Amino acid sequence: MAESDFMPLGGWDHLELWVGNAKQSAFFYEHALGFTRVAYAGPETGLRDRASYVLEQGEIRLVVTSGLRSDSEVVRFAARHGDGAKDVSLQVPDAGVAYREAVGRGATSVAEPRWLEDEHGRVELATIATYGENVHTFVNRADYAGPFLPGFVSLSPNGRRDTGVGLIAIDHVVGNVELGRMDHWVEFYERVFGMVNIVHFGDDQIQTEYSALMSKVMAGGDGKIKFPINEPAEGKRKSQIDEYLEFNEGPGVQHIALQSEDVVRTVEALKGRGIAFLDTPETYYEEVEGRVGEIAESYDDLKRLRILADRDEDGYLLQIFTKTAQDRPTMFFEVIERHGATTFGEGNFKALFESIEREQALRGNL
Ligand code: FE2
């Protein structure tokens, strides 16, 4: 795609969450979600103001970070927004070039290009701002063989890893923005990243009895990177996007979708580890087979585990959503398995939103 040549993206690098207590969050991602902790940085390694744990599963790399004093920017972020995603970090061949292209196209600078070095080699980083208090860090790690970044120490010197739950890659990262701001951010990802809008759902398509929302999906990096962006729309009651914006105190990451190689096995394993998923009503399973048609999996398994199925013109996909990952009704996770489908089916949006609304009603926010 000629129009995206100015910003070649190699893929996701890592996703950094800023949280109230990284030590306990890391334990959750290890023991509940099947990640292996591979690296650490904190006071013991010379990092004075924060502690960061790096967790991996398949190609997914999560970093959870908390601040150590009340004047820390990480502590202030977590106090305002609750635990949530801060940095959606992307691999590029040249972080300096990516940064200059982005800033030249109107992106706000957060950190200028800089090289970090240790005995494992060197990494180039540069950071720009996006919606809310979120950022994108460009990473060029072609000359680096260490566990994560210079300054981090390896936590698995013997190479032993958790067997995991079958999660293999980040699929997409969804942002919630304020009413009327979706198109602003769509235009931002077009202009700054050369991304293209691959799906658009209007409020006529995504609406339940109570609320509606609009969503556009931006894609880049030859389709590897997908950023859906949601905004609330008028409904009879408070939109679930409004609930998010209220409790997150502004825009932020709504959900992180992780690909599974076998969603039935992954969901069984996650449920066994205590992860709570959104429920789907019995009626969904009365019509799903007629809507989606033949699939390799058993519809009985999908119904038993409350997994959703959908189809686009290229194939089908299976997906399920966790309940929110913290007490605030903000961020949650999705598990998705793609069989050819490259976008997002329309059929599941309504089922998802109705599930969220049942939870919203229980919280007294509908
Ligand atoms: Fe999603």
Side-chain angles (χ1 to χ4, degrees):
M1 287 192 289
E3 63 269 39
S4 63
D5 281 349
F6 70 86
M7 185 62 81
L9 301 173
W12 310 95
D13 190 81
H14 64 276
L15 221 141
E16 182 168 3
L17 311 177
W18 279 9
V19 301
N21 185 340
K23 181 177 270 191
Q24 290 192 0
S25 288
F27 194 83
F28 170 82
Y29 289 107
E30 280 184 289
H31 293 278
L33 284 178
F35 283 78
T36 296
R37 72 171 76 187
V38 298
Y40 169 79
E44 301 86 343
T45 70
L47 192 60
R48 301 308 303 169
D49 69 332
R50 64 190 67 190
S52 284
Y53 300 78
V54 183
L55 301 126
E56 290 182 355
Q57 185 169 179
E59 295 174 6
I60 309 161
R61 191 187 284 129
L62 286 185
V63 181
V64 290
T65 298
S66 56
L68 302 180
R69 292 187 178 82
S70 63
D71 61 358
S72 151
E73 61 173 344
V74 185
V75 169
R76 194 192 47 73
F77 176 99
R80 177 165 178 207
H81 304 292
D83 292 5
K86 170 67 181 178
D87 191 347
V88 178
S89 172
L90 303 168
Q91 286 184 6
V92 294
D94 186 321
V97 167
Y99 171 90
R100 284 186 291 277
E101 286 286 352
V103 171
R105 289 163 193 273
T108 300
S109 169
V110 174
E112 293 191 354
R114 70 273 186 202
W115 287 95
L116 303 180
E117 286 188 52
D118 68 7
E119 71 271 26
H120 302 293
R122 61 180 200 154
V123 180
E124 188 184 25
L125 304 173
T127 306
I128 61 163
T130 180
Y131 48 75
E133 287 199 79
N134 282 57
V135 300
H136 293 299
T137 293
F138 299 116
V139 182
N140 166 16
R141 56 171 68 255
D143 298 331
Y144 194 66
F148 177 52
L149 291 176
F152 282 75
V153 295
S154 175
L155 283 180
S156 54
N158 58 4
R160 194 177 59 82
R161 298 177 78 92
D162 190 293
T163 51
V165 295
L167 295 171
I168 51 176
I170 297 174
D171 189 87
H172 57 277
V173 176
V174 183
N176 279 345
V177 301
E178 306 96 325
L179 180 64
R181 295 291 282 169
M182 176 179 70
D183 283 331
H184 168 87
W185 291 106
V186 164
E187 191 273 330
F188 171 87
Y189 282 104
E190 284 171 349
R191 171 169 39 90
V192 172
F193 286 86
M195 290 188 170
V196 291
N197 180 8
I198 58 167
V199 189
H200 174 206
F201 294 121
D203 54 356
D204 51 331
Q205 287 161 295
I206 309 179
Q207 87 171 276
T208 66
E209 188 183 350
Y210 297 122
S211 66
L213 65 84
M214 298 196 288
S215 186
K216 287 185 178 174
V217 181
M218 304 307 293
D222 295 325
K224 287 189 293 285
I225 307 294
K226 293 189 187 79
F227 290 144
I229 300 167
N230 300 329
E231 73 171 34
E234 290 292 318
K236 281 186 213 159
R237 301 201 192 167
K238 180 191 279 186
S239 149
Q240 59 197 258
I241 309 301
D242 286 320
E243 186 197 35
Y244 175 98
L245 294 169
E246 178 185 336
F247 283 88
N248 193 64
E249 297 195 16
V253 170
Q254 181 210 37
H255 73 267
I256 296 163
L258 303 174
Q259 285 176 12
S260 167
E261 56 195 1
D262 179 347
V263 71
V264 170
R265 178 175 90 76
T266 297
V267 173
E268 268 176 343
L270 290 172
K271 288 189 171 179
R273 289 168 180 243
I275 290 290
F277 290 91
L278 292 179
D279 197 9
T280 299
E282 204 61 28
T283 51
Y284 178 90
Y285 294 95
E286 290 165 9
E287 54 81 41
V288 64
E289 188 167 355
R291 182 166 56 77
V292 179
E294 194 179 325
I295 59 174
E297 295 73 14
S298 135
Y299 277 104
D300 288 340
D301 281 338
L302 303 192
K303 180 177 170 181
R304 175 171 58 84
L305 295 166
R306 299 333 238 191
I307 295 167
L308 307 172
D310 214 338
R311 187 174 280 287
D312 71 9
E313 54 204 18
D314 302 314
Y316 70 95
L317 60 85
L318 305 169
Q319 59 188 165
I320 190 168
F321 302 88
T322 69
K323 294 192 178 184
T324 53
Q326 58 291 309
D327 290 308
R328 295 197 201 196
T330 51
M331 197 180 73
F332 56 92
F333 289 91
E334 170 183 347
V335 179
I336 182 168
E337 180 179 353
R338 292 185 181 275
H339 288 266
T342 53
T343 61
F344 301 89
E346 194 186 322
N348 283 344
F349 268 87
K350 190 170 174 181
L352 167 63
F353 297 138
E354 287 175 344
S355 300
I356 293 178
E357 280 168 9
R358 284 191 291 277
E359 299 287 314
Q360 218 182 322
L362 290 174
R363 292 189 284 263
N365 291 332
L366 183 64

